[in-house]
Amino acid sequence: MGRKSLYLLIGGILIAYYIYTPLSDNIEEPWRLMWINAHQKTIENLATFVELLGLHHIMDSLKVVWSFYEVPPTSDENVTVTETKFNNILVRVYVPKRKSEVLRRGLFYIHGGGWCMGSAAINDYDLLSRWTADRLDAVVISTNYRLAPKYHFPIQFEDVYNALSWFLRKTVLAKYGVNPERIGISGDSAGGNLAAAVTQQLLDDPDVKIKLKIQALIYPALQPLDVDLPSYQENSNFLILSKSLMVRFWSEYFTTDRSLEKAMLSRQHVPVESSHLFKFVNWSSLLPERFIKGHVYNNPNYGSSELAKKYPGFLDVRAAPLLADDKKLHSLPLTYVITCQYDPLRDDGLMYVTRLRNAGVQVTHNHVEDGFHGAFSILELKISHRLINQYIEWLKENL
């Protein structure tokens, strides 16, 4: 074997080692998923290196990369796509071109990205909104919101709430031909968090007369109090979303002060005076038995009050919808929740399903045994199309 061939062999082995990750046998298209993850991991590693050099915040670097996947608001043969502002928040509006004899459904969608990245213009979100508008014969509003690290909680929440409140005005619904009795909200990941939070907030807003018929939450992030749930432990280094990255997202939502992130990872960010909140996220009583097996619930470690006083957002129900009491949950609309087996956020969704059902809310729960974080929105994967089909069929039947 020549020296050149040996170098190529060694290079190939190193590349395969970098890309390869052991996966469960039930994961569909494992090598394609590994390749997508390797691409993302490379970008994250480079962004981390740039941050270590003090040149650029990691989230700002990732945001720049995501911007290359944005597409203009271009109409096609089935859907008219426009951009406008709802209460100064940029949104994309998707309206089916075919004529309708009745008022259409309306769906308000919130993109994911850890409150730090993404937009309604990202290609996969744009396609999702087009498909939903066309197949559901619905007006889809895909909203933007200001992002961390430049903006922190409650800015993201307020932007989404203000855009949604604007959409729910009678004059706006009439302009787009939307039936005020058939409006839903949906979002994935951080967008699922914001969808759950604003849906709760709407219940107490006397100025918003039109209420939501459904909420559809796709692997939502619902609480930062306990980031050592069984799903965080089992999937701490899984593809697409690791525990460390999710904790960084949570921390950046509230502050660029890395001390909060460190305290969260050591489970010492919640002060003892807020100990009563753990009853809302106690996985030992809220998770189905099969997700508890092999895990032992440990009582929380309490930290000082300093972080909670500086960054009270992580104890705020608007950032952590799982902290809502049962009285609030009881009034929520018909709900659809997607959770994925190989996702650190799995147990957030599972606990919310349990609490909603205990509060008397009708819930359809789609647990995806071969799913992982991002399975819904990475459209180059077959699993994404399967989940989107199930999601749209549920919307057809319930919205």
Side-chain angles (χ1 to χ4, degrees), residues 197-223:
V198 298
T199 301
Q200 291 181 8
Q201 186 78 2
L202 272 179
L203 299 174
D204 300 323
D205 192 337
D207 295 327
V208 181
K209 307 300 182 183
I210 296 170
K211 303 302 180 182
L212 300 172
K213 184 178 181 182
I214 64 97
Q215 61 174 341
L217 311 177
I218 301 148
Y219 35 73
L222 297 170
Q223 60 82 33

Side-chain angles (χ1 to χ4, degrees), residues 66 109-119 122 125 145 147 187-192 194 219 373 377:
W66 274 50
Y109 195 87
I110 311 162
H111 70 81
W115 308 279
C116 298
M117 304 177 294
S119 76
I122 297 293
Y125 286 121
Y145 48 91
L147 302 169
D188 65 293
S189 192
L194 291 165
Y219 35 73
H373 200 84
S377 58

